[in-house]
Coordinates of all heavy atoms in Angstrom, one line a residue:
I1 N 3.0 7.1 -34.9 CA 3.8 6.2 -34.0 C 3.4 6.6 -32.6 O 4.2 7.4 -32.0 CB 5.3 6.4 -34.3 CG1 5.5 6.2 -35.8 CG2 6.1 5.4 -33.5 CD1 7.0 6.6 -36.2
P2 N 2.3 6.2 -32.0 CA 1.9 6.6 -30.7 C 3.0 6.3 -29.6 O 3.0 6.9 -28.6 CB 0.6 5.8 -30.4 CG 0.6 4.7 -31.4 CD 1.4 5.2 -32.6
E3 N 3.8 5.3 -29.9 CA 4.9 4.9 -28.9 C 5.9 6.0 -28.8 O 6.8 6.0 -27.9 CB 5.5 3.6 -29.3 CG 4.6 2.4 -29.2 CD 3.8 2.2 -30.5 OE1 4.0 3.0 -31.5 OE2 3.0 1.3 -30.6
A4 N 5.9 7.0 -29.7 CA 6.9 8.1 -29.7 C 6.2 9.3 -29.1 O 6.6 10.5 -29.6 CB 7.4 8.3 -31.1
E5 N 5.3 9.2 -28.2 CA 4.7 10.3 -27.6 C 5.0 10.5 -26.1 O 4.4 11.1 -25.3 CB 3.2 10.2 -27.8 CG 2.7 10.3 -29.2 CD 1.3 10.1 -29.4 OE1 0.5 10.0 -28.4 OE2 0.8 10.1 -30.6
N6 N 6.2 9.8 -25.7 CA 6.6 9.9 -24.3 C 7.4 11.2 -24.1 O 8.4 11.5 -24.8 CB 7.5 8.7 -23.9 CG 6.8 7.4 -24.1 OD1 5.8 7.2 -23.4 ND2 7.3 6.5 -24.9
N7 N 7.0 12.1 -23.2 CA 7.6 13.4 -23.0 C 8.4 13.5 -21.8 O 9.1 14.5 -21.6 CB 6.5 14.5 -23.1 CG 5.9 14.6 -24.5 OD1 6.6 14.5 -25.5 ND2 4.6 14.9 -24.5
G8 N 8.4 12.6 -20.9 CA 9.1 12.7 -19.6 C 10.6 12.6 -19.8 O 11.1 12.0 -20.7
I9 N 11.3 13.3 -18.8 CA 12.7 13.2 -18.8 C 13.2 11.8 -18.8 O 12.7 11.0 -18.0 CB 13.3 14.0 -17.6 CG1 13.0 15.5 -17.7 CG2 14.8 13.8 -17.5 CD1 13.7 16.2 -18.8
G10 N 14.1 11.4 -19.6 CA 14.7 10.1 -19.7 C 13.9 9.1 -20.6 O 14.4 8.0 -20.8
S11 N 12.9 9.6 -21.3 CA 12.1 8.8 -22.2 C 12.3 9.0 -23.6 O 11.7 8.4 -24.5 CB 10.6 9.0 -21.9 OG 10.2 8.7 -20.6
G12 N 13.3 9.9 -23.9 CA 13.6 10.2 -25.3 C 14.1 8.9 -26.0 O 13.9 8.7 -27.2
K13 N 14.8 8.1 -25.3 CA 15.4 6.9 -25.8 C 14.3 5.9 -26.3 O 14.4 5.4 -27.4 CB 16.3 6.2 -24.8 CG 17.1 5.0 -25.4 CD 18.0 4.4 -24.4 CE 18.8 3.3 -24.9 NZ 19.7 3.7 -26.0
S14 N 13.3 5.8 -25.6 CA 12.2 4.9 -26.0 C 11.4 5.5 -27.2 O 11.0 4.7 -28.1 CB 11.2 4.6 -24.8 OG 10.6 5.8 -24.4
N15 N 11.3 6.8 -27.3 CA 10.7 7.4 -28.5 C 11.6 7.1 -29.7 O 11.0 6.7 -30.7 CB 10.7 8.9 -28.3 CG 9.5 9.4 -27.5 OD1 8.7 8.6 -27.0 ND2 9.4 10.7 -27.2
T16 N 12.9 7.2 -29.5 CA 13.8 7.0 -30.7 C 13.7 5.5 -31.1 O 13.6 5.3 -32.3 CB 15.2 7.3 -30.2 OG1 15.3 8.7 -29.8 CG2 16.2 7.0 -31.4
E17 N 13.7 4.6 -30.2 CA 13.5 3.2 -30.5 C 12.2 2.9 -31.3 O 12.2 2.1 -32.2 CB 13.6 2.3 -29.3 CG 15.0 2.4 -28.7 CD 15.1 1.7 -27.3 OE1 14.0 1.4 -26.7 OE2 16.2 1.5 -26.8
A18 N 11.1 3.6 -30.8 CA 9.8 3.4 -31.5 C 9.9 3.9 -32.9 O 9.3 3.2 -33.8 CB 8.8 4.1 -30.7
I19 N 10.5 5.0 -33.1 CA 10.6 5.6 -34.5 C 11.4 4.6 -35.4 O 11.0 4.3 -36.5 CB 11.2 7.0 -34.5 CG1 10.4 7.9 -33.7 CG2 11.5 7.5 -35.9 CD1 11.1 9.2 -33.3
L20 N 12.5 4.1 -34.9 CA 13.4 3.3 -35.7 C 12.7 1.9 -36.0 O 12.9 1.3 -37.0 CB 14.7 3.0 -35.0 CG 15.5 4.3 -34.8 CD1 16.8 4.0 -34.1 CD2 15.8 5.0 -36.1
N21 N 11.9 1.4 -35.0 CA 11.2 0.2 -35.2 C 10.0 0.3 -36.2 O 9.6 -0.7 -36.8 CB 10.6 -0.3 -33.9 CG 11.7 -0.8 -33.0 OD1 12.8 -1.3 -33.4 ND2 11.5 -0.8 -31.7
A22 N 9.5 1.6 -36.3 CA 8.3 1.8 -37.2 C 8.7 1.9 -38.7 O 7.9 1.6 -39.5 CB 7.6 3.0 -36.7
C23 N 9.9 2.4 -39.0 CA 10.3 2.6 -40.4 C 11.8 2.5 -40.5 O 12.5 2.7 -39.6 CB 9.8 4.0 -40.9 SG 10.7 5.4 -40.3
D24 N 12.2 2.2 -41.8 CA 13.6 2.0 -42.0 C 14.2 3.2 -42.9 O 15.2 3.0 -43.6 CB 13.9 0.7 -42.7 CG 13.1 0.5 -44.0 OD1 12.4 1.4 -44.4 OD2 13.2 -0.6 -44.6
E25 N 13.5 4.3 -42.9 CA 13.9 5.4 -43.7 C 15.3 5.9 -43.3 O 15.6 6.0 -42.1 CB 12.9 6.6 -43.6 CG 13.2 7.8 -44.5 CD 12.1 8.8 -44.4 OE1 11.1 8.5 -43.7 OE2 12.3 9.9 -44.9
K26 N 16.2 6.2 -44.2 CA 17.5 6.7 -44.0 C 17.6 8.2 -43.7 O 16.7 8.9 -44.1 CB 18.5 6.3 -45.1 CG 18.5 4.9 -45.5 CD 19.0 4.0 -44.4 CE 19.1 2.5 -44.8 NZ 19.6 1.7 -43.7
N27 N 18.6 8.6 -43.0 CA 18.9 10.1 -42.8 C 17.7 10.8 -42.3 O 17.4 12.0 -42.7 CB 19.3 10.7 -44.2 CG 20.6 10.2 -44.6 OD1 21.5 9.8 -43.8 ND2 20.9 10.2 -45.9
I28 N 17.0 10.2 -41.3 CA 16.0 11.0 -40.5 C 16.6 11.3 -39.1 O 17.6 10.7 -38.7 CB 14.7 10.2 -40.4 CG1 14.9 8.8 -39.7 CG2 14.1 10.0 -41.8 CD1 13.6 8.0 -39.4
A29 N 15.9 12.1 -38.4 CA 16.5 12.6 -37.1 C 16.8 11.5 -36.2 O 17.9 11.5 -35.6 CB 15.4 13.6 -36.5
A30 N 15.9 10.6 -35.9 CA 16.1 9.6 -34.9 C 17.3 8.7 -35.4 O 18.1 8.3 -34.5 CB 14.9 8.7 -34.7
R31 N 17.4 8.4 -36.6 CA 18.4 7.4 -37.1 C 19.8 8.1 -37.0 O 20.8 7.4 -36.7 CB 18.2 7.0 -38.5 CG 19.0 5.7 -38.9 CD 18.4 5.1 -40.2 NE 17.0 4.8 -40.2 CZ 16.5 3.7 -39.5 NH1 17.4 2.9 -38.9 NH2 15.2 3.5 -39.5
L32 N 19.9 9.4 -37.3 CA 21.2 10.1 -37.2 C 21.7 10.0 -35.8 O 22.9 9.7 -35.5 CB 21.1 11.5 -37.6 CG 21.0 11.8 -39.1 CD1 21.1 13.4 -39.3 CD2 22.1 11.1 -39.9
C33 N 20.8 10.2 -34.8 CA 21.2 10.1 -33.4 C 21.6 8.6 -33.0 O 22.6 8.4 -32.3 CB 20.1 10.5 -32.5 SG 19.7 12.3 -32.6
D34 N 20.9 7.7 -33.5 CA 21.2 6.3 -33.2 C 22.5 5.8 -33.8 O 23.2 5.0 -33.2 CB 20.0 5.4 -33.7 CG 20.2 3.9 -33.4 OD1 20.2 3.6 -32.2 OD2 20.4 3.1 -34.3
E35 N 22.9 6.4 -34.9 CA 24.1 6.0 -35.6 C 25.3 6.8 -35.1 O 26.5 6.5 -35.5 CB 23.9 6.1 -37.1 CG 22.9 5.1 -37.6 CD 22.7 5.2 -39.1 OE1 23.1 6.3 -39.7 OE2 22.0 4.4 -39.7
Y36 N 25.1 7.9 -34.4 CA 26.2 8.8 -34.0 C 27.1 8.1 -32.9 O 26.6 7.4 -32.0 CB 25.5 10.1 -33.4 CG 26.5 11.0 -32.9 CD1 27.5 11.7 -33.7 CD2 26.6 11.4 -31.5 CE1 28.4 12.6 -33.2 CE2 27.5 12.3 -31.0 CZ 28.4 12.9 -31.9 OH 29.3 13.8 -31.4
S37 N 28.4 8.4 -33.0 CA 29.3 8.0 -32.0 C 30.5 9.0 -32.0 O 30.7 9.7 -32.9 CB 29.9 6.6 -32.3 OG 30.7 6.6 -33.5
I38 N 31.1 9.0 -30.8 CA 32.2 9.9 -30.7 C 33.3 9.3 -29.7 O 32.9 8.6 -28.8 CB 31.8 11.3 -30.1 CG1 32.9 12.3 -30.0 CG2 31.1 11.1 -28.7 CD1 32.5 13.7 -29.6
E39 N 34.6 9.5 -30.0 CA 35.6 9.0 -29.1 C 36.0 10.2 -28.3 O 36.4 11.3 -28.8 CB 36.8 8.5 -29.9 CG 37.9 8.0 -29.0 CD 39.1 7.4 -29.8 OE1 38.9 7.1 -31.0 OE2 40.2 7.2 -29.2

């Protein structure tokens, strides 16, 4: 997933989106973060 090779500050979000767009695997690191919420 070459779109997940952005290392600059503020670019982690685009990496996460690239990972989620590339596969639908459950319970992986990027998906846990994407599904996380807190009040």
Side-chain angles (χ1 to χ4, degrees):
I1 311 173
E3 297 84 3
E5 295 177 2
N6 299 304
N7 291 325
I9 295 291
S11 299
K13 186 174 182 63
S14 63
N15 281 359
T16 301
E17 291 171 349
I19 296 167
L20 298 178
N21 289 334
C23 74
D24 57 3
E25 186 177 352
K26 305 296 183 183
N27 292 332
I28 59 174
R31 197 167 303 282
L32 285 189
C33 293
D34 182 64
E35 294 176 349
Y36 176 66
S37 68
I38 184 173
E39 182 176 345

